[in-house]
Amino acid sequence: MGCDAYGMTIKTNFGEIETFRDVPVMIGQTDHSKFVEQSSCKGYLLIKGAFATYIVDIKDQTISVYRATVRGVNNEWCDENPIYGKETCHVQGFSRHYHLQFPFVRKDRFHQVFGDYEALRRRQIQELTNAL
């Protein structure tokens, strides 16, 4: 059982962001307006994906993560606000306030940095489930 999932490419005046091209952001439909919101200052995009919520700094072409679902090796999963490093940031201008504890990362390095975070969390989840 499954459903169609779609990624997205974001085109801005500052460049293209293809980071989400192969990421299942839109599940079951292609209407991007239900998944993307622009901040009132026009400086950020909020992308509400199926398994993560991203915030994109349009001008800097950097990406942070507000929420992510991390899956363990034995079907465990954790829906969490990623904390990685000491950098924090408050982003306003959406329908709500976002406190980010994951750094803004250049679009070309995002998958590597987020992948490192997910690998760390998978190990932690595995250690916790092994302790039971």
Side-chain angles (χ1 to χ4, degrees):
M1 182 174 200
C3 62
D4 292 331
Y6 304 94
M8 65 173 57
T9 298
I10 301 166
K11 296 180 182 185
T12 73
N13 292 337
F14 301 98
E16 252 183 44
I17 299 173
E18 294 186 334
T19 307
F20 306 109
R21 181 183 56 217
D22 298 322
V23 176
V25 174
M26 300 178 288
I27 303 293
Q29 58 183 305
T30 58
D31 181 4
H32 73 279
S33 67
K34 296 180 181 186
F35 301 94
V36 179
E37 180 183 343
Q38 189 171 23
S39 65
S40 58
C41 70
K42 308 289 188 224
Y44 297 97
L45 288 177
L46 174 67
I47 301 173
K48 299 176 193 172
F51 304 109
T53 300
Y54 309 95
I55 295 192
V56 177
D57 184 318
I58 297 170
K59 184 176 181 183
D60 292 342
Q61 301 281 286
T62 55
I63 305 164
S64 181
V65 184
Y66 174 71
R67 180 196 60 81
T69 302
V70 179
R71 299 189 185 296
V73 294
N74 296 311
N75 294 325
E76 313 89 359
W77 60 274
C78 183
D79 198 27
E80 59 192 34
N81 293 65
I83 300 171
Y84 199 55
K86 296 181 180 181
E87 186 177 325
T88 65
C89 178
H90 294 269
V91 178
Q92 299 181 40
F94 296 107
S95 57
R96 59 167 290 183
H97 172 92
Y98 289 89
H99 178 215
L100 304 175
Q101 298 178 84
F102 191 93
F104 276 96
V105 180
R106 286 191 336 257
K107 62 184 179 184
D108 58 326
R109 292 193 57 238
F110 179 77
H111 286 304
Q112 173 65 44
V113 174
F114 189 58
D116 291 347
Y117 167 79
E118 287 182 309
L120 171 66
R121 290 295 293 132
R122 275 190 201 96
R123 284 193 308 273
Q124 292 172 337
I125 290 169
Q126 188 62 44
E127 288 175 17
L128 288 168
T129 56
N130 289 344
L132 295 175

